[in-house]
Every structure is written in structure tokens, then in C-alpha cells.
Amino acid sequence: MVVLVTGANGQLGQALQSISGNYPEIDFVFCDSTRLDITDLNNIKQSFKQFKPDYCINAAAYTAVDKAESEPEKAQLINVIGAKNLAEVCKEYDTILLHISTDFVFDGTNKTAYKEEDTPNPTGVYGLTKLQGEKAIQETFDNYFIIRTSWVYSQFANNFMKTMLRLASERDSLSVVNDQIGTPTNAVDLAEVLISIIIKTQNSQPETRNIFGIYNFSNEGRCSWYDFAKEIFEINNVNINLSAIPTTSFPTPAKRPAYSVLDKTKIKKFFQVEIKDWKESLKACKI
């Protein structure tokens, strides 16, 4: 079984590489943007012709939330055109696509956890392009899993956890917003779930593969960014003066969802995955 991974140098791509040795039954092909540029349709076709993947995990994305407000064309190219290109080639090669999306497709006005069928309403360019990428895939073919996730961190690449630890080494005090509520997701946990989906789909009979569609995945629980930062510092024995502030005191180019907790009932039901609490997963993440 061949699984091709785009965006191999990103956070999720590196997380997948870190656990790939645990799955000898899978032949992973890791491609960074120089080896496989998802915005180049011919480049994708060449790679698929060479490797003939059974599955493709699209971990390539434009994820600079604030920068996207001033670079909408670049975000559109990667998150929409890139997703559409991959879907077209996956359809041609009968490859099952696993595409990563985001809680930012929602506006954050819910008071309860978002379900897959809730109506998206992104408030910024990043969320909008990720939603448009989802739709481009859905309009192209049926053999896809779109996994919406949130607040991804790990020991790899750039993320909130590593930023907090870096800033704590440079400053005596920090202020973090406490009125945006969501759930941190360890990239390794996300990687494990993606592989679990692949294995369980592969082992099912073709006629039972009526499980394609959109799924939510994050760790369990909920917190604010302030709570997340506080837990990061406690686990890593960092002493710093941490203050909670409202979003209005920390204006950003892109508006963030005030509440973006994801309901994981569907993915637990269809794939029998056990999901760790966010604090438990954070403790297991060592830089």
C-alpha cells in the first residue's frame, strides 16, 4: 500500500514521518514542495505516475492566518487550486484523498461544539480559502476524507507551543487572550488518526466504503489560548508572569473564531478512535 504525503516538511508532514516506521505495511512517499508542488498540475501527475499511490494525505497548506489577509492570491493558489489539482489527479488514478482542513471555516458564534454538518461561515481569508478547497474537492470526486482540525502543535515546525516557549526564554512576562475557546491538537495524534483511517478503509470491502466525507478531529476538552499557554509553562517548568487579556487588547489582521470546539462523535463512531485529552497529549510532547 502506497501513501503519498504532500507538505512533508510541515508540522503534520514531520509528525507523519516520525511514526511512519511503526507501519511496515505502508510504503510512505514523503514529498515537500520542491518535489511535489500542489499548485502545479503537471508536477502532481508526474509524481502520481511514478508512485501510483493508493492514498494521498494532503498536508500542504497556506496556514499563515494573518498574512493571508494581505496575500489572498497566494492562499487561494495553495488552499483552493492546490486542493482541486490533487483531487483531479486522485480521481484519475483512483487514489483516496485525505485532506486537512480547519476550525476556521466556522465563525465561532456557536455555544456548543461544531458538528460536520453545521454551516460554515469563515471570517477571514485563510478560513475562506480552506472552505473553498473543501468544496473544490467535493465537486471533483467522491473518494475523499476531509479532516477538520484545530490549534495544531507539536515538537515540529512552528506553532503556538514552540512560540510560547521561545518568548518565555526572551521575556519576563507575557499576555495571552483568554476569550477564544477551542481545543489544542497534537500533530502526532492527528497523524495516527489519518493512518488509522487509511488502514481501516483499506481493510473494508469496496462496497462498504460509504464512509467518505467530512470529519472533525482534535484532542478532547476545551480551553482558551491563555489556558493553553499556562499548561505549556507548567509542564515545562517555566516561571513567567502570564496575564490573561481579551481579544480586543490584541488586535490581529484576521478575526479569530471566539469558539471553535469540534464535535468528534462522527469520527469516533465510524473509526472507533480513542481520543486523548489535550492536557495528556501536551504532556507527551517534548521538544
Side-chain angles (χ1 to χ4, degrees):
M1 177 167 48
V2 178
V3 176
L4 186 149
V5 179
T6 68
N9 285 348
Q11 191 172 190
L12 178 57
Q14 290 186 60
L16 283 160
Q17 290 187 62
S18 75
I19 62 172
S20 60
N22 299 334
Y23 300 93
E25 70 272 33
I26 299 176
D27 182 8
F28 286 95
V29 179
F30 290 100
C31 299
D32 62 15
S33 59
T34 58
R35 188 177 182 186
L36 197 164
D37 178 0
I38 65 171
T39 68
D40 185 336
L41 185 61
N42 287 328
N43 186 196
I44 300 172
K45 288 182 176 181
Q46 289 169 1
S47 294
F48 273 58
K49 184 178 181 181
Q50 178 181 355
F51 299 113
K52 298 178 176 59
D54 301 288
Y55 295 82
C56 173
I57 297 176
N58 182 26
Y62 182 105
T63 58
V65 176
D66 288 322
K67 209 172 178 183
E69 297 298 311
S70 57
E71 291 185 342
E73 295 86 1
K74 190 172 181 181
Q76 173 96 8
L77 182 62
I78 298 170
N79 292 345
V80 186
I81 304 302
K84 187 176 190 300
N85 287 344
L86 270 177
E88 287 180 357
V89 182
C90 282
K91 183 179 181 180
E92 182 182 339
Y93 280 83
D94 196 25
T95 300
I96 294 172
L97 176 62
L98 289 84
H99 175 78
I100 312 305
S101 193
T102 174
D103 57 326
F104 275 58
V105 300
F106 298 115
D107 59 17
T109 58
N110 261 24
K111 296 293 186 276
T112 57
Y114 281 96
K115 297 182 179 179
E116 289 82 354
E117 61 269 21
D118 285 339
T119 303
N121 185 33
T123 59
V125 170
Y126 167 67
L128 177 61
T129 58
K130 290 299 289 183
L131 178 60
Q132 290 171 336
E134 288 184 9
K135 290 180 177 177
I137 291 167
Q138 292 170 304
E139 290 166 0
T140 302
F141 80 144
D142 297 325
N143 294 0
Y144 64 82
F145 295 102
I146 292 171
I147 313 295
R148 291 174 178 157
T149 191
S150 64
W151 297 23
V152 180
Y153 71 92
S154 66
Q155 61 267 50
F156 311 109
N158 297 315
N159 56 72
F160 181 80
M161 180 188 75
K162 291 176 77 173
T163 298
M164 288 297 102
L165 292 173
R166 176 179 57 80
L167 290 174
S169 70
E170 301 167 354
R171 305 179 188 179
D172 297 324
S173 62
L174 274 175
S175 298
V176 180
V177 296
N178 70 339
D179 55 356
Q180 294 173 26
I181 308 300
T183 309
T185 305
N186 188 320
V188 176
D189 290 345
L190 176 58
E192 292 276 14
V193 163
L194 294 173
I195 296 174
S196 178
I197 289 172
I198 288 171
I199 291 171
K200 286 174 181 174
T201 305
Q202 184 72 10
N203 290 341
S204 68
Q205 296 302 313
E207 61 269 17
T208 65
R209 289 188 185 175
N210 57 348
I211 51 177
F212 295 118
I214 297 175
Y215 290 83
N216 293 334
F217 178 81
S218 68
N219 284 117
E220 294 284 22
R222 63 192 66 193
C223 64
S224 69
W225 288 107
Y226 168 81
D227 298 327
F228 189 14
K230 186 178 178 184
E231 195 72 15
I232 290 166
F233 295 140
E234 286 183 5
I235 288 170
N236 290 278
N237 299 312
V238 174
N239 291 314
I240 188 166
N241 183 12
L242 184 65
S243 302
I245 58 170
T247 298
T248 51
S249 297
F250 189 72
T252 54
K255 183 183 177 185
R256 266 75 171 166
Y259 184 92
S260 63
V261 177
L262 299 172
D263 184 303
K264 276 84 66 176
T265 303
K266 183 180 176 183
I267 200 165
K268 287 189 280 192
K269 176 185 174 184
F270 279 88
F271 294 103
Q272 296 82 50
V273 295
E274 292 184 11
I275 305 177
K276 298 174 187 171
D277 183 82
W278 73 269
K279 289 185 180 181
E280 180 188 350
S281 274
L282 182 60
K283 286 176 184 173
C285 185
K286 300 296 180 184
I287 294 180

